[in-house]
Each structure stands twice: as structure tokens, then as C-alpha cells.
Amino acid sequence: HLIMRKKILYITITALSLFILFVFYQIMNPASPLETVYYESDVKNISVTYSRPLKKGRLVFGNESDGALVPFDIYWRTGANRHTIIETDSDLKIMDNVLRPGKYSLFTTPGKEYWDVTFNSSNSYFGIMRPESEKDEFTITVPSNSLETVTEQFTIDFITSNSDSISNVGIRLKWDLTEIIIPLK
């Protein structure tokens, strides 16, 4: 019996060790790595932290019935794993709304021609469930643009433009053949 107990103990310890190594590997090498992008100026400092899934030959945006990874007209955490988080140290004018300094979840409802983009005051880091709607600051609607070349990995960045001597900033989200721009002032 003693030999049998040692074998069972050895197998259990080996299995547990392998499981711990697997979990550690997954944490250190996620399939959708976490990234933070920054916009810094004399008057604004903004960061967006998000996870970056890959297309991997899949249909990304489309109808749920077609097996789209991100179906139209359904809540999307806007990335993978965690919620996408935007942090600002100054007021941001976003269309007719003002986002006060702080940290917010950013999530979307993609559509074929337009996307709804919602800023929510919760800072939950796991994004499977939609944040509580009572904590929504506001939702804007922006047009969806088609790209000519595929963007393999979901990407968020900042773009700037100067019009009428006013510098405008936009948060650009692009993946596959789709891009949206969230205008900021």
C-alpha cells in the first residue's frame, strides 16, 4: 500500500506542477496581449489599455448567424480578456459630451455602418459581462469605415489633425477591414 500511495502522490504532484506551469505560461504569454497607448500634450494626458486579439483567418465583424467573432448589434468589450480602459487627467469633449478626469471602461456595439461607443464609470477588469448601465456616462454613435488592407491584430491608437488652427485628437480602433474614430477635443 505504501508504494501505491507514493505513486499516487507522485502523479498528483506532477499533474499539479504541470497545471501551475501551464497557467503561468498563459499569464506570461497571452493569446491577446495587453497594451497601453498614450496621448500626451501640454493640456491633456490620455491612456487606453486594452487586449489585442488576432484575426487568425476568422470572420471578425458580421452577422451572428454567419459565425462572426464580433456580431453586429451586440455588446463587445472592445478587445479581449479585460475591459478596455481609458484614463484622462483633463476634461475630454467627445462630440456633445464631456468626460471628466478619471478612469472609465470603454465598450462598443459594432454595427455595419455605425458603432455605438459607451463610456462607463466602472473599472471592472474582466469584460465578459456588460458593465451596469446605471454607470454609463454617455454613448456616442460614430461611422464605421472600410479599410483597404487587413489589420490582423486589433489595434487602438491616437490620430491627430489640425483644422482651423484647432488641434483635434481621435482614438482610432481598427481590426480586419474595419475602422472607427472617436473624436476628442
Side-chain angles (χ1 to χ4, degrees), residues 113-157:
E113 295 179 21
Y114 294 93
W115 285 32
D116 288 337
V117 179
T118 302
F119 297 85
N120 183 287
S121 63
S122 73
N123 293 316
S124 303
Y125 284 107
F126 207 72
I128 292 174
M129 303 300 292
R130 184 192 186 285
E132 297 173 20
S133 57
E134 302 84 51
K135 294 185 177 183
D136 289 352
E137 296 292 317
F138 56 85
T139 299
I140 61 168
T141 301
V142 295
S144 175
N145 305 309
S146 294
L147 298 172
E148 291 186 18
T149 58
V150 170
T151 300
E152 176 65 24
Q153 190 168 25
F154 177 58
T155 302
I156 297 177
D157 60 6

Side-chain angles (χ1 to χ4, degrees), residues 70-82:
V70 181
F72 291 144
D73 304 318
I74 295 178
Y75 159 80
W76 180 39
R77 63 184 143 194
T78 314
N81 307 329
R82 303 174 176 191

Side-chain angles (χ1 to χ4, degrees), residues 30-34 50-56 58 60-61 69-70 76-82 84 151-156 174-176:
S32 301
L34 193 65
Y50 68 108
S51 293
R52 302 188 64 203
L54 293 158
K55 176 178 168 60
K56 295 183 182 177
R58 302 176 286 187
V60 175
F61 301 108
L69 185 62
V70 181
W76 180 39
R77 63 184 143 194
T78 314
N81 307 329
R82 303 174 176 191
T84 293
T151 300
E152 176 65 24
Q153 190 168 25
F154 177 58
T155 302
I156 297 177
K174 60 183 180 173
W175 195 16
D176 195 10

